[in-house]
């Protein structure tokens, strides 16, 4: 037997002791879903998954790179763990310049040590390609040999790094506050990496904000889906609430109170959709609404679950770098307005107090009715 396979190595899961099979099953399920529509087969083989019987290598690698829980992949030739067969395959190398052979022997009963395997295979390569040179310190090429416990060996050039993290779904589900900006898609990506499945809420202020602004958020959710799996996006009509706040409350508290309403609605939607936490893209000190005092006053709304802010300690450039890596940057920077820019005061308070925010909110009439109406009129989109 001698065939080409894509070997999938998984990350961190080995930490999980008795729950290991739960993580493994989730990961294999997520891998299967990521490969839907591509002609290939998948099998499980002692802590390695293998894709085989495939033709579209690049497409498969692109998809696998986005599946959290995968540490690295390699395109490998597989053969029986027999030194002559390994040498035969190794001789087919297309290396130019210098090389070394690096052997890993998971099967400790294999009759040769790793060093002996590397030396024997290196010798076979040299006899077939006399122009090649061995350089064990700084080689231009490495041929890896991985001898597994099941009597087979993988022969491959590189380990292609993947996304790492934990399989999406292994940490439950969170509700992402998804704006059209740079930060919140990155926040969603980072929490999905820690195993959270995501639903999302987006607040829009039609007609102050356009259809294009909403479409931008849908597009961002679509870019996240290969990482996060399907996202249920709740588009919440926010205009009436903003108009009421604008009409009744002090203008420098506008943003503070808007944020508190976002949190109230988010908590309700999260509870209705079995989400165990809220995720947003706040970064400490980035704008007036993200000072410690502002965050304290908005944070106070949520009593029943944690709010995760994975960007809280990041500089803008660090967030931009991740947005570029995951492909959300180009969409995020499109110039469509966000609902937060509607009725924006000239000088928002940077050190709001809870007492004053609550006092301002008392000026609003049917508070609960406004929230219920917004939730009832939400549009639910299933982004896949
Ligand atoms: P982003 O780049 O994510 O828009 P930002 O730097 O513009 O963030 P803010 O506008 O202060 O910061 O928003 C802080 C967080 O509040 C956002 O990261 C997002 O999680 C949430 N948020 C803001 N506007 C909306 C919205 N229209 N719908 C849903 N969530 C929102
Ligand atoms: Mg924003």
């Amino acid at each position: 037997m001698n065939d080409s396979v894509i070997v999938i190595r998984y990350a961190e899961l080995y930490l999980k002791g008795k729950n290991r099979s739960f993580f493994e099953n989730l990961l294999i399920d997520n891998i299967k879903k990521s490969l839907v529509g591509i002609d290939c087969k998948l099998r499980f083989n002692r802590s390695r998954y293998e894709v085989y019987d495939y033709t579209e290598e690049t497409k498969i690698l692109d998809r696998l790179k986005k599946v959290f829980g995968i540490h690295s992949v390699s395109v490998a030739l597989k053969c029986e763990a027999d030194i002559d067969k390994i040498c035969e395959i190794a001789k087919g190398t297309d290396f130019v310049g210098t090389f070394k052979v690096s052997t890993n022997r998971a099967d400790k009963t294999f009759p040769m040590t790793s060093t002996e395997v590397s030396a024997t295979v290196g010798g076979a390569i040299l006899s077939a390609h006399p122009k090649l040179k061995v350089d064990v310190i700084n080689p231009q090429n490495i041929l890896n040999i991985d001898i597994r416990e099941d009597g087979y060996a993988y022969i491959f050039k590189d380990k292609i790094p993947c996304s790492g993290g934990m399989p999406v779904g292994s940490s439950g589900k969170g509700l992402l506050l998804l704006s059209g900006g740079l930060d919140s898609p990155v926040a969603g990506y980072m929490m999905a990496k820690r195993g959270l499945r995501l639903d999302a809420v987006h607040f829009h202020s039609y007609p102050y904000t356009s259809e294009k602004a909403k479409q931008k958020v849908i597009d961002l959710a679509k870019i996240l889906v290969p990482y996060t799996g399907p996202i249920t996006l709740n588009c919440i009509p926010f205009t009436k609430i903003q108009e009421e706040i604008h009409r009744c409350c002090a203008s420098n508290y506008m943003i503070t109170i808007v944020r508190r309403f976002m949190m109230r609605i988010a908590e309700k939607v999260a509870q209705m959709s079995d989400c165990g936490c809220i995720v947003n893209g706040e970064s400490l000190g980035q704008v007036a609404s993200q000072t410690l005092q502002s965050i304290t006053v908005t944070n106070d709304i949520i009593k029943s679950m944690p709010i995760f802010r994975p960007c809280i300690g990041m500089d803008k450039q660090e967030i931009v770098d991740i947005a570029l890596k995951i492909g959300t940057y180009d969409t995020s920077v499109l110039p469509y307005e966000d609902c937060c820019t509607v009725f924006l005061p000239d000088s928002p308070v940077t050190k709001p107090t809870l007492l004053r925010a609550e006092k301002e909110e008392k000026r609003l009439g049917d508070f609960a009715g406004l929230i219920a109406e917004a939730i009832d009129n939400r549009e639910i989109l299933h982004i896949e």
Side-chain angles (χ1 to χ4, degrees):
M1 183 189 156
N2 168 10
D3 61 358
S4 178
V5 297
I6 296 174
V7 191
I8 302 174
R9 302 176 194 85
Y10 48 72
E12 265 196 54
L13 307 185
Y14 62 88
L15 294 174
K16 303 297 174 188
K18 284 186 190 149
N19 286 334
R20 186 177 167 137
S21 63
F22 163 74
F23 286 87
E24 285 177 343
N25 291 337
L26 202 52
L27 180 57
I28 192 110
D29 216 40
N30 291 347
I31 292 172
K32 276 184 195 156
K33 285 179 188 151
S34 81
L35 297 178
V36 163
I38 300 182
D39 202 14
C40 63
K41 294 189 180 127
L42 194 63
R43 67 186 160 218
F44 182 53
N45 177 25
R46 292 229 203 169
S47 80
R48 297 275 192 273
Y49 300 116
E50 280 175 11
V51 184
Y52 65 106
D53 275 1
Y54 62 89
T55 51
E56 297 180 282
E57 180 181 305
T58 312
K59 208 164 162 184
I60 293 173
L61 293 179
D62 283 347
R63 301 252 186 114
L64 293 176
K65 280 182 200 163
K66 295 182 176 176
V67 177
F68 289 124
I70 299 180
H71 175 262
S72 66
V73 294
S74 292
V75 179
L77 287 168
K78 188 177 179 184
C79 68
E80 282 160 41
D82 171 279
I83 192 68
D84 293 333
K85 291 193 171 140
I86 294 172
C87 286
E88 255 334 286
I89 291 182
K91 282 194 228 165
T93 175
D94 56 1
F95 289 159
V96 177
T98 60
F99 78 99
K100 81 167 182 181
V101 178
S102 171
T103 304
N104 170 52
R105 204 178 49 132
D107 175 11
K108 302 296 178 202
T109 67
F110 191 75
M112 298 166 81
T113 64
S114 300
T115 319
E116 286 166 355
V117 172
S118 295
T120 308
V121 176
I125 294 175
L126 282 176
S127 67
H129 305 271
K131 284 190 184 156
L132 289 178
K133 281 204 165 57
V134 172
D135 179 350
V136 290
I137 309 289
N138 193 17
Q140 289 165 291
N141 307 279
I142 298 179
L143 190 73
N144 293 285
I145 297 174
D146 189 3
I147 299 174
R148 308 302 306 165
E149 298 102 324
D150 60 356
Y152 288 94
Y154 297 124
I155 300 163
F156 57 94
K157 291 182 191 165
D158 2 272
K159 285 189 180 174
I160 304 163
C162 293
S163 292
M166 304 189 4
V168 167
S170 62
S171 300
K173 190 163 73 164
L175 185 70
L176 171 66
L177 275 78
L178 185 59
S179 69
L182 271 165
D183 308 331
S184 46
V186 169
Y189 165 87
M190 289 177 73
M191 294 318 299
K193 182 170 183 173
R194 296 311 302 162
L196 269 190
R197 213 145 34 90
L198 294 177
D199 277 2
V201 279
H202 173 66
F203 300 93
H204 65 87
S205 308
Y206 190 76
Y208 300 101
T209 59
S210 63
E211 272 299 312
K212 279 184 176 166
K214 192 172 96 185
Q215 187 57 45
K216 177 180 171 182
V217 172
I218 295 171
D219 292 344
L220 284 170
K222 279 189 189 153
I223 298 168
L224 288 178
V225 161
Y227 299 99
T228 62
I231 296 175
T232 298
L233 174 62
N234 298 268
C235 293
I236 314 266
F238 209 46
T239 316
K240 193 162 166 190
I241 290 176
Q242 282 184 290
E243 284 173 344
E244 280 302 292
I245 299 172
H246 182 59
R247 192 169 65 82
C248 303
C249 306
S251 73
N252 62 339
Y253 264 69
M254 179 83 202
I255 291 182
T256 311
I257 296 170
V258 160
R259 294 247 160 246
R260 283 164 59 86
F261 269 84
M262 283 186 181
M263 286 300 181
R264 288 186 178 100
I265 292 172
E267 187 175 34
K268 286 219 157 59
V269 173
Q271 286 163 344
M272 287 157 66
S273 50
D274 274 335
C275 292
C277 64
I278 288 171
V279 179
N280 73 22
E282 286 172 329
S283 164
L284 189 63
Q286 195 187 80
V287 286
S289 60
Q290 297 176 31
T291 62
L292 184 54
Q293 292 83 351
S294 292
I295 290 176
T296 303
V297 175
T298 45
N299 197 65
D300 186 71
I301 296 291
I302 309 277
K303 310 283 192 214
S304 68
M305 58 185 74
I307 305 173
F308 292 140
R309 302 174 173 88
C311 300
I312 197 74
M314 294 169 74
D315 291 345
K316 197 73 188 183
Q317 189 57 47
E318 292 173 296
I319 297 170
V320 164
D321 289 345
I322 297 177
L324 286 167
K325 184 178 86 178
I326 66 176
T328 52
Y329 181 86
D330 288 345
T331 305
S332 284
V333 297
L334 291 173
Y336 304 120
E337 62 297 315
D338 181 55
C339 76
C340 294
T341 55
V342 176
F343 308 127
L344 197 66
D346 288 340
S347 53
V349 60
T350 54
K351 294 183 180 175
T353 66
L354 194 54
L355 220 60
R356 176 78 193 280
E358 285 170 345
K359 193 171 146 212
E360 291 299 326
E361 284 172 356
K362 289 219 172 73
R363 302 180 201 276
L364 290 161
D366 180 15
F367 199 103
L370 280 173
I371 292 173
E373 190 184 339
I375 293 177
D376 287 347
N377 290 331
R378 76 191 189 281
E379 184 187 0
I380 300 176
L381 303 170
H382 297 286
I383 316 289
E384 301 190 332

